[in-house]
Amino acid sequence: MPRTAQMSPAEKARLYRQRRRDAGVEEVLFQLPGHAIALLDDIKHRQGLRNRSQVLLQLIEEKGATAQHVT
C-alpha cells in the first residue's frame, strides 16, 4: 500500500473512489431542484435515515418492487 503522506490529494481521492467501486459502491453527482432536495430531507428525517443516498435507494427499491408487481 502506498504511503498516503507522499500522495497528492488527487491521488488519494482516486484511490478512495477505487476502493468504493471495489466495494460495489459508485458515486454519482447530479443536480436537483431545491424542492426535490427538501423532499428528500423530509423523507430522511421521517424515516430516521442517515443520508439522502439512503432515501434515494429506498425510493428506487420501492419503485422496482412496484414495477415487478404490475407486470
Side-chain angles (χ1 to χ4, degrees):
M1 176 66 87
R3 295 178 58 191
T4 56
Q6 297 174 350
M7 288 199 274
S8 71
E11 183 65 11
K12 288 178 188 179
R14 187 190 69 73
L15 290 173
Y16 171 77
R17 288 189 304 271
Q18 184 61 50
R19 287 193 307 273
R20 299 295 291 167
R21 279 192 299 274
D22 291 346
V25 178
E26 186 82 26
E27 182 175 317
V28 178
L29 176 66
F30 54 93
Q31 298 176 354
L32 293 173
H35 65 85
I37 298 296
L39 179 60
L40 291 175
D41 289 341
D42 182 55
I43 295 169
K44 179 181 80 163
H45 176 73
R46 284 188 283 121
Q47 298 291 327
L49 300 171
R50 290 185 318 233
N51 54 54
R52 293 173 182 155
S53 294
Q54 289 181 327
V55 175
L56 288 170
L57 184 57
Q58 183 179 52
L59 291 170
I60 291 166
E61 288 172 347
E62 288 173 6
K63 182 65 175 175
T66 302
Q68 288 179 356
H69 285 89
V70 172
T71 58

